[in-house]
Amino acid sequence: MKILVDTNVIIDALTGREPFRETAEQIFMLAANQTEDMHITASSATDIYYLIRKHLHSTDKAKHAMEKLYELFYILDVTAEDCKDALSSEVKDYEDAVISCCALHNKMDYIVTRNVKDFEQSKIKAVLPDDFMKLIMNDEE
């Protein structure tokens, strides 16, 4: 499966944000074990870096965290087409619309996010991290 992981799930794992940390870390383990093809968007990468640098209070530590992240997750380019298509997307929030269009363009199976409500109109199904882990467990049975 090809999975696009939203910024909030990455931040949950990297900052240990409760009560979301455990499931987010499980998603990281899927990426580390190459159980699923896990992706982030290039535009999310800049947001993740900014938030991690603020959390760690260190540019060097933030860069190191990003290097580790890039070992686990593929980075999807956000194209001009994604940005333009997002303008006419039924997904109301532009940032989420760009993610949705990027997911569609790259043939992702799911978007894993804590903000599924924001992706209700997405052509790629958005699932909560806990629900995604249940899906994975059911596939293994």
Side-chain angles (χ1 to χ4, degrees), residues 22-65:
E22 185 177 342
T23 305
E25 287 177 356
Q26 290 172 351
I27 290 169
F28 267 59
M29 288 305 297
L30 292 174
N33 295 329
Q34 298 180 338
T35 306
E36 305 295 335
D37 288 338
M38 301 292 202
H39 302 78
I40 61 171
T41 65
S43 56
S44 290
T46 59
D47 294 338
I48 293 164
Y49 172 80
Y50 172 79
L51 294 167
I52 292 302
R53 186 177 52 83
K54 273 182 67 172
H55 177 77
L56 297 173
H57 307 287
S58 167
T59 299
D60 289 339
K61 288 179 182 176
K63 286 181 179 181
H64 181 70

Side-chain angles (χ1 to χ4, degrees), residues 66-77:
M66 296 305 288
E67 287 170 355
K68 295 295 183 191
L69 181 69
Y70 298 156
E71 291 173 10
L72 300 176
F73 291 82
Y74 298 100
I75 304 171
L76 298 177
D77 291 332

Side-chain angles (χ1 to χ4, degrees), residues 4-12 17 20 23 27 44 47 51 90-97 99-100 110-132:
L4 180 54
V5 182
D6 198 8
T7 303
N8 53 46
V9 178
I10 301 295
I11 296 300
D12 291 343
R17 186 164 41 189
F20 312 109
T23 305
I27 290 169
S44 290
D47 294 338
L51 294 167
E90 291 185 27
V91 175
K92 300 296 179 218
D93 180 82
Y94 182 70
E95 232 178 325
D96 293 335
I99 289 171
S100 176
Y110 293 100
I111 299 169
V112 178
T113 180
R114 283 192 293 101
N115 298 326
V116 292
K117 184 177 154 224
D118 294 344
F119 289 94
E120 286 177 343
Q121 302 302 317
S122 175
K123 293 181 179 162
I124 301 298
K125 182 172 177 60
V127 295
L128 292 165
D130 287 337
D131 293 339
F132 175 70

